[in-house]
Amino acid sequence: MVYRILEKTPLCPSCLGRLFASRLRGYSNRERGLALMRSLVMELEHRVEEGDGEARLMLERIAPSLPQEFYQSLDRLGIKVEERAPCWLCGGRLEDWLGLHRRAAELVRSLRAESFVVGVVLSKALSQREDELLRTNMVTTGESIRQEVKREIGKRVMAETGVPVDFERPGVTIMVTLPQGIVYARPNPILVKGRYLKTGRNISQTRWTTRRGERRFELSVQDMLEPLREALDGAELVLHASGREDTDARMLGDGRPMVVEVKEPRRRRTSLPVVETLLNTRAKWGWFTLEGPVTRDYVRELKTSDQHRRKAYRALVTSDKPLDPGMLEEAEKSLSGVEIRQRTPQRVSHRRADVVRVKRLYETRLVQLAPRLLQAYFLAEGGLYIKELISGDDGRTQPSLSSVLGARLRCVELDVLWVESS
Ligand SMILES: [Zn+2]
């Protein structure tokens, strides 16, 4: 078997050994390949000594594949190797490829990776050759170059840097391109869980630009988080939040749950308390707490759980006519523990499907500040539009504060006071 392979295809010990990777456990492919070559040469040597002419021819045919260590034996039998044949598969470069671990370890170190994984990309030509070799020799005991390079570089980088391999959630993916031997790092995003307060109005949650590329609002919560991106030297920052308040509403209380994603961070570790202080010193209209790293699953959970979170609001409400203080208590009662039927508000109907939602309004409290001025507090199920709960939105929201007070009401200021934690 080994002779039939080497007769047609010169291979280096590593590439030969790889064809039998599932045999002789505990040895490297190179050791395995050398063992096979040694036993083959020993057998042929013996037959040549016995005067077997066929064996001499066989030895001559495979001689160009054999490494230096066999030359003493070949010499003794008078077999000269005119020209060594490079390995048909790797061209004799496998050792160089495995030596790429030095570059890989450098990258893992310089990025201060918490964990890593090695990925190998083979050129089409190389993987076709490998397939052909396995197929024509009907080998089922082999492994691929990709597997060997991945495993060996991984082992060596781990030994050199002490940084563990993590197949599930690696901090950094080290990519190795063969046969070129290019090594580069793909730092995986860092996700940090926290909460934000928005203490000003006319601030969007994320950067919001028009089709012409102009900004709709000068400032966004996302902008205020920039120091975190800078601290991790990332390419981009994405803000994932549990729901979003209107741009003209403040987000107060203890803030809204969020996850900040920093993409392609070139630095993977930073002191979150220091960054938190930096954020809060620089942000004029925001306040942030950073709690710690989370996984992608957490982001999914954060986004889907928003609808179930209860929220508390405070609104400043104006009326088109003086309100009777006696009616306020009645209004509070009829707007506590009720279901509100709300058709998609006119102001968002251009970007949301036109449907009727039923949301729970747990509690309403009203304080009259002036004959035509109210302060209203609401505790509601997530997703209830508060401005429309006040105005009635031309009958699209029912019941509404306007309908129960029999006046045309308008919300002039809105604050989110509390977002329930899951
Ligand atoms: Zn090779």
Side-chain angles (χ1 to χ4, degrees), residues 12 15 87 89-92 94:
C12 68
C15 290
C87 173
L89 194 54
C90 74
L94 193 88

Side-chain angles (χ1 to χ4, degrees), residues 205-217:
Q205 191 180 62
T206 53
R207 252 163 251 148
W208 191 358
T209 49
T210 62
R211 249 179 250 152
R212 279 192 278 151
E214 289 156 359
R215 293 191 66 138
R216 296 283 289 272
F217 296 94

Side-chain angles (χ1 to χ4, degrees), residues 115-143:
S115 62
F116 73 98
V117 77
V118 179
V120 173
V121 183
L122 295 189
S123 73
K124 210 168 169 199
L126 190 54
S127 72
Q128 275 171 352
R129 271 185 175 223
E130 183 168 56
D131 285 349
E132 196 184 322
L133 184 67
L134 293 171
R135 215 178 38 238
T136 54
N137 294 296
M138 290 187 286
V139 172
T140 53
T141 49
E143 69 170 352

